[in-house]
Amino acid sequence: MTTINWHQCAKNIDLSIYDLIDGKQVKPNSDETIRKYAPRDGSLLYQLPVGAPAEVERAVACAKQAHKDKRWQGLPLHQRQAMLRKLADLIDTHQNTFALYECLDAGKPISRAAREVTIASNMLRETAESADKLFSAYIADEAYCAYHLRKPVGVVGAIIPWNYPLVIAALKIGPALIMGNSLVLKPSEYTSLSAAYLATLALEAGIPPGVLNIVHGIGQTVGAALAHHRDIDLLSFTGSSATGKQIQIAAGQSNMKRLLLECGGKSPYLVFDDCPKDLDMLAADIVGTMFQNQSQNCMANSRLLVQDSIKEALVPKVLEQTAKFIPQDPLDPNTNFGAMIHETHMNNVLSYIDSGTKEGATLIAGGKRVHVDTGNTDSGGFYIEPTLFDNVNPQQKIAQEEIFGPVLSILTFKTEQEAIELANNTIYGLAAYVATENMGRARRLSQDINAGSVMFISTSTPAACSQQLGKEGHRESGFGAEGGLLGLASYSLNTCVQQWT
Ligand code: NAD
């Protein structure tokens, strides 16, 4: 990584954006455009057409035809697997290009962006490999058997956000295609580059025309047209809970399409005084999980709930670790903390910081926008310091709402019951992290905390999260599993077949 001159590469990279419809790359067709600014320096990166419902019509019609004539679902599974593996290999071959696109578009550190490319390609491979594991059969005797037949749902629409553009695209493309569906994918209007490039590789991988379609544009045009479309059989959405609710309305007003909704979060990190003894390790985990991707991460542990008996020992360590995250130019390979996605979002996060102080919490780190030298004279990148608030009241805005930025709220509890109540005291239920060595407590909390994923930190830091099981949000974090075998089930219809012979 370190030998590449990323600044030079960034000057030469092609920023063209194409839709992919019926196996052809086409320029998004609409006169109206939005300006996309680079998070790292605020300069104009490209202009994106807002997109038109007519393009959604064309893409959905092609996907529907592809489903009907079985050009994809009719292929033997091993052929579909081979093409998805080829796509994964092509992504790896073009790792540097993808990393640069993600870095420029999303403002994420280039080294992190490169890791995400590998995560995306591995995800595609693992999904392809697991497709033949999703069967169940019941055989009573010679004369009777029953089994679940998994069938493609049909035309899948996928609407994705800007925080992990390539990874989330892979999370949807893999299961949708391996289960035999055809797909129309809408990337976020803030991060269009990696999906546009992926479209070229999908053709090279041999995926038949019309099976994977990509339509760029904004939510109000392209997204809404997909959500209301009567020929979309399943809509898989990742984004905010507010948009998720709009999607539910659109599904109800149109064809009652199936929905997978992966929405917002306000995840707690609970630390009990029976946590692992190594508080440096623990603080590094708390801070590393929280500030990854500038905390623009649905599973960010934006609430640190600490048992009062251990608070005095832990908080200085958390401060120490936080100081290691310094906003810097995302194109620098040593950067671990980049820029916020856009100016409005940055200002929104700053207004949360303002409210934190006004509502009585104690600011103990960060709190400001900072200037980062990117070697560019018009440098006006969207950088905010990692920020910590202590003595946060559970009812404060910063303890209740998803900020989606680097603002960590510290709250305290005395008893396990109080900890559970605090953990569950938001509208969300996406993830929770718990530091305890007490396995009985771990068992109770996995039952009582309202979250689709609960991670226990008991002896050492988890090296990697597994996608193998699949997971889903609870409450206003959404519903429907993604990832693993559960995710494959979400992207297919289940027919129970009973046979008497
Ligand atoms: P967003 O809801 O603003 O946009 C997400 C997508 O929806 C974009 O492609 C957007 O164009 C589209 N969209 C907007 N309005 C629409 C409408 N009316 N109809 C159809 N589509 C519409 O979210 P965002 O700001 O892009 O992403 C951040 C949010 O995503 C956060 O809330 C975060 O928690 C959530 N997220 C959740 C997960 C998860 O796994 N649960 C993962 C990543 C991000």
Side-chain angles (χ1 to χ4, degrees), residues 159-164 168 171 186-190 217-220 222-225 227 237-244 246-247 261-265 297-299 402 404 430 477:
I159 300 179
I160 62 174
W162 45 260
N163 59 336
Y164 297 103
I168 297 179
L171 183 68
K186 184 200 113 46
S188 166
E189 56 270 43
Y190 295 108
I218 62 171
Q220 287 77 2
V222 176
F237 168 79
T238 302
S240 63
S241 301
T243 308
Q246 296 295 317
I247 303 246
L261 300 179
E262 279 198 309
C263 299
N297 172 9
C298 55
M299 290 175 68
E402 184 185 44
F404 222 53
L430 195 59
S477 292

Side-chain angles (χ1 to χ4, degrees), residues 193-364:
L193 292 169
S194 55
Y197 196 59
L198 191 64
T200 63
L201 302 186
L203 295 177
E204 204 179 324
I207 293 171
V211 172
L212 171 61
N213 304 276
I214 297 177
V215 182
H216 293 277
I218 62 171
Q220 287 77 2
T221 55
V222 176
L226 281 172
H228 282 96
H229 207 294
R230 296 195 66 85
D231 289 333
I232 296 279
D233 301 297
L234 162 68
L235 186 66
S236 174
F237 168 79
T238 302
S240 63
S241 301
T243 308
K245 290 177 188 181
Q246 296 295 317
I247 303 246
Q248 283 185 298
I249 294 170
Q253 286 173 340
S254 52
N255 61 339
M256 218 167 121
K257 54 180 66 63
R258 285 164 175 255
L259 294 178
L260 282 176
L261 300 179
E262 279 198 309
C263 299
K266 187 77 187 171
S267 303
Y269 197 123
L270 293 84
V271 181
F272 288 86
D273 61 10
D274 55 14
C275 64
K277 304 289 165 284
D278 186 350
L279 293 188
D280 292 308
M281 175 281 286
L282 197 55
D285 188 57
I286 292 165
V287 167
T289 313
M290 171 59 193
F291 294 128
Q292 188 217 102
N293 208 35
Q294 297 73 251
S295 309
Q296 300 167 130
N297 172 9
C298 55
M299 290 175 68
N301 46 297
S302 51
R303 294 180 299 145
L304 176 58
L305 314 183
V306 193
Q307 195 155 28
D308 55 3
S309 42
I310 197 167
K311 184 180 171 193
E312 215 179 293
L314 182 70
V315 171
K317 306 261 182 208
V318 171
L319 273 167
E320 215 173 279
Q321 293 294 334
T322 299
K324 295 182 181 170
F325 284 80
I326 302 163
Q328 276 169 333
D329 186 354
L331 281 175
D332 181 338
N334 297 316
T335 294
N336 63 7
F337 193 89
M340 309 304 293
I341 184 72
H342 56 71
E343 191 168 15
T344 310
H345 183 55
M346 174 187 68
N347 288 334
N348 196 28
V349 174
L350 289 170
S351 76
Y352 273 109
I353 294 176
D354 201 33
S355 87
T357 317
K358 284 195 177 122
E359 290 183 1
T362 316
L363 181 70
I364 56 170

